[in-house]
Amino acid sequence: MPDGSRAPAARRRAGRALSVPSVKLNGMDDRMLRRRVYGADHEDPDPGPLAGHDYGELVGGPLDGLLLDVTGWSGAQLAEEARLPTEIGRYGPGGRAHYRRRADDPAHWDWTGDSR
């Protein structure tokens, strides 16, 4: 299972880490371009998507509305549930929010629950 600690979840901007995908930046509208990417530093003045990356929108749960950078994920990884570390889920620090890519709409990843 992909998990935020080993997936291309590290944002590659000035050596910082990033996140998960499905919508090409070229096809995004202005609203999408202003969205925050999961894993972006809260102090980052530009936490939005990067050109050339693939993104999926997280739907529901504690990370609702964030973009997941899935650039470079294999077909098998995209088919698995992503377990993303977050402090704002049911279990607080050390918890993970689980998201699964929609089969009929791969640009969206639905929340399936939280875990420790």
Side-chain angles (χ1 to χ4, degrees):
M1 287 188 166
D3 82 25
S5 63
R6 8 167 246 161
R11 203 155 190 232
R12 306 270 184 249
R13 179 180 288 166
R16 288 191 296 243
L18 185 71
S19 265
V20 192
S22 269
V23 176
K24 287 280 187 194
L25 188 61
N26 300 2
M28 293 184 187
D29 61 18
D30 289 341
R31 187 187 67 196
M32 185 68 82
L33 291 173
R34 291 189 297 267
R35 305 282 294 279
R36 177 174 289 280
V37 174
Y38 167 80
D41 188 316
H42 290 283
E43 302 296 321
D44 188 343
D46 183 15
L50 300 173
H53 286 243
D54 296 325
Y55 296 90
E57 180 178 358
L58 300 176
V59 179
L63 304 176
D64 184 52
L66 293 180
L67 298 176
L68 182 62
D69 181 348
V70 292
T71 304
W73 284 30
S74 69
Q77 288 174 309
L78 291 170
E80 294 176 0
E81 185 174 78
R83 299 171 301 161
L84 308 173
T86 183
E87 296 181 357
I88 60 173
R90 178 177 181 184
Y91 297 102
R96 293 178 181 273
H98 298 231
Y99 288 85
R100 184 169 294 279
R101 187 178 190 201
R102 289 182 192 168
D104 62 341
D105 182 8
H108 293 91
W109 291 65
D110 293 313
W111 178 62
T112 59
D114 293 337
S115 69
R116 292 188 181 167

